[in-house]
Amino acid sequence: RKMAYQQRRRRNRGGIDPTLMLLLMKLFAQVQQMPYKPPATLFIMGVNIAVHLNDTLIPFSISSVCLHPAQILFGWDLKRLVLSAFVHADDYHLYYNMSSLLWKGAQLEQTNGTEEFLKMSAFLLLGSHVIYVLVAWILSMLGVFSATMQTCAVGYSAVLFGYKMVLNYNSPSLSSFYGMMGEFQS
């Protein structure tokens, strides 16, 4: 993780990576084509992109904000439960998460409204991160996989998986199970 942080710092001193710039321009073009511009989704995307591109906005190292179960449970470093979602390991991690956020967030925000979407996002962020920490602790206590207490996770992916679950739940009948599309009874 330290290497990714150093690479990120080095990239920002040398300017923005041209590949990332092209990918962000592609996302911007997709937003421009949308008939409905979801404000909360775009705000969340903006925060993620700003944190990734401007490390002076929130001066940190990835290891100081990542979702680290031992640091949260035993060091009471609770800021990690939130900040870890807005940090990405590299440019591609950021791009794929933001393109997924744009697609899922736009659907959910348009359907549920901006205020409900923001509440759902906050609940999914905190809920998924608390579950991650609890599962790591349980696995460690059972002696099944004690290394989970020392893992370090970053990114908006947990929230995106939550969005996917909400979209699938609200879908009339077509869903995906291990990549197979079809009707599945719950």
Side-chain angles (χ1 to χ4, degrees), residues 26-37:
K26 181 178 178 178
L27 276 178
F28 182 72
Q30 289 174 344
V31 171
Q32 292 298 91
Q33 293 175 354
M34 296 170 71
Y36 171 73
K37 315 280 191 278

Side-chain angles (χ1 to χ4, degrees), residues 97-157:
N97 275 0
M98 294 307 98
S99 55
S100 180
L101 172 59
L102 181 60
W103 185 78
K104 293 172 181 132
Q107 290 182 70
L108 288 169
E109 188 171 354
Q110 189 169 15
T111 304
N112 300 307
T114 300
E115 187 177 337
E116 286 302 311
F117 176 73
L118 285 171
K119 288 178 188 176
M120 178 190 338
S121 297
F123 175 79
L124 290 171
L125 190 151
L126 288 172
S128 61
H129 288 184
V130 166
I131 289 169
Y132 178 90
V133 171
L134 288 176
V135 168
W137 179 75
I138 290 168
L139 290 174
S140 177
M141 290 293 107
L142 293 174
V144 176
F145 191 55
S146 58
T148 57
M149 288 298 288
Q150 301 304 320
T151 58
C152 197
V154 293
Y156 208 72
S157 299

Side-chain angles (χ1 to χ4, degrees), residues 5 7 18-19 31-32 42 54-57 61 68-69 78 88 104 111 114 120 125 139-140 146 160 172 178:
Y5 167 70
Q7 288 172 345
T19 305
V31 171
Q32 292 298 91
L42 296 175
N54 187 358
D55 47 12
T56 59
L57 182 67
S61 66
H68 189 287
L78 300 179
H88 291 80
K104 293 172 181 132
T111 304
T114 300
M120 178 190 338
L125 190 151
L139 290 174
S140 177
S146 58
L160 296 172
Y178 291 103

Side-chain angles (χ1 to χ4, degrees), residues 174-186:
L174 189 63
S175 189
S176 173
F177 183 72
Y178 291 103
M180 301 179 340
M181 296 300 285
E183 291 187 36
F184 298 98
Q185 301 296 322
S186 49

